[in-house]
Amino acid sequence: MKRLRALAACALILNCMRAFGGAEQSPVDTATEEWNPQRFEFAIESGFLFGAINPPASYEIGAEFLTTRIRWGVIRSDSWLRGYHQFYMSAVLEPISRGIENHYFGFNLGMRYNFVRPGSRLFPYFSGGVGAGWIDSHPEVPGAQGQDFTFNILSAAGISFELNDHWKLNAGVLYEHLSNAGQTDPNPSLNLFGPQVGVTCSF
């Protein structure tokens, strides 16, 4: 009789633990929940760009970016395409340390794709976007930009290193094109390449 009561008590305790502890998760469910990219990111990034591809003059430009990214679409594949898209908006500030002009500032809108490997803290990425801005043009100087209003094209590739759930370090290479789309003649434009580093906060 005592054994029967003990068994009944054990059964009652197990049922209570199961009720309050929730259903046991399968390995597939757990793996899916472990990879859930943060929806929003804010990044501060710096670069140093050099004029290339027949520049009108020798250019060296510091590039500062304040960027907001919003997750848009997740690919939960077992292939190398596993990752997620982001739409981004960047404020651009570029002091020109060598060149005809002195500064450029504007904005850039685009997309970024992050590749995710299971168990890895490294996330390769590439991005591209277009925007517009203003440069202190000197159209009277040969080789200078023809007007202040100027379009920009940005593309980048690199790697993010995840420090924890909310912070990442980024390093990569950046290409930038500045041009007024033929609104003046001549329109020398600028093509710039260089390294870029930054820090990202995810939430």
Side-chain angles (χ1 to χ4, degrees):
M1 190 68 176
K2 289 182 179 179
R3 287 183 180 178
L4 188 58
R5 288 178 182 174
L7 288 173
C10 288
L12 181 62
I13 291 171
L14 286 173
N15 284 330
C16 289
M17 289 174 64
R18 195 172 291 174
F20 287 104
E24 185 178 346
Q25 292 180 308
S26 69
V28 175
D29 292 338
T30 303
T32 300
E33 290 181 2
E34 282 176 355
W35 182 58
N36 185 24
Q38 301 282 0
R39 186 162 181 81
F40 300 101
E41 286 185 351
F42 179 75
I44 300 174
E45 296 165 309
S46 299
F48 197 80
L49 307 177
F50 301 88
I53 311 176
N54 299 320
S58 179
Y59 274 83
E60 294 180 5
I61 297 179
E64 304 295 332
F65 301 94
L66 297 177
T67 302
T68 299
R69 303 189 191 103
I70 303 171
R71 190 189 73 211
W72 178 72
V74 176
I75 298 179
R76 301 184 183 278
S77 169
D78 290 332
S79 72
W80 63 275
L81 288 174
R82 186 177 195 256
Y84 58 98
H85 300 273
Q86 291 175 308
F87 171 75
Y88 76 79
M89 301 168 282
S90 290
V92 182
L93 175 61
E94 298 182 341
I96 301 173
S97 56
R98 174 180 289 180
I100 299 172
E101 295 79 18
N102 299 296
H103 55 77
Y104 175 80
F105 62 92
F107 66 91
N108 185 268
L109 308 174
M111 298 294 296
R112 170 165 159 157
Y113 191 77
N114 303 273
F115 295 91
V116 178
R117 305 312 310 153
S120 176
R121 289 178 175 268
L122 296 175
F123 300 90
Y125 67 85
F126 69 88
S127 65
V130 297
W134 291 262
I135 193 168
D136 60 325
S137 64
H138 300 283
E140 73 283 358
V141 179
Q145 302 305 298
Q147 65 179 34
D148 290 354
F149 179 74
T150 304
F151 297 100
N152 64 65
I153 299 173
L154 290 173
S155 60
I159 293 178
S160 294
F161 176 72
E162 185 179 56
L163 298 173
N164 54 45
D165 289 341
H166 298 287
W167 293 96
K168 296 176 187 172
L169 298 178
N170 315 307
V173 292
L174 178 67
Y175 165 73
E176 180 176 28
H177 176 76
L178 299 178
S179 170
N180 63 39
Q183 296 180 65
T184 62
D185 186 22
N187 170 35
S189 73
L190 286 174
N191 292 287
L192 306 149
F193 294 88
Q196 182 183 39
V197 296
V199 60
T200 298
C201 178
S202 305
F203 53 95

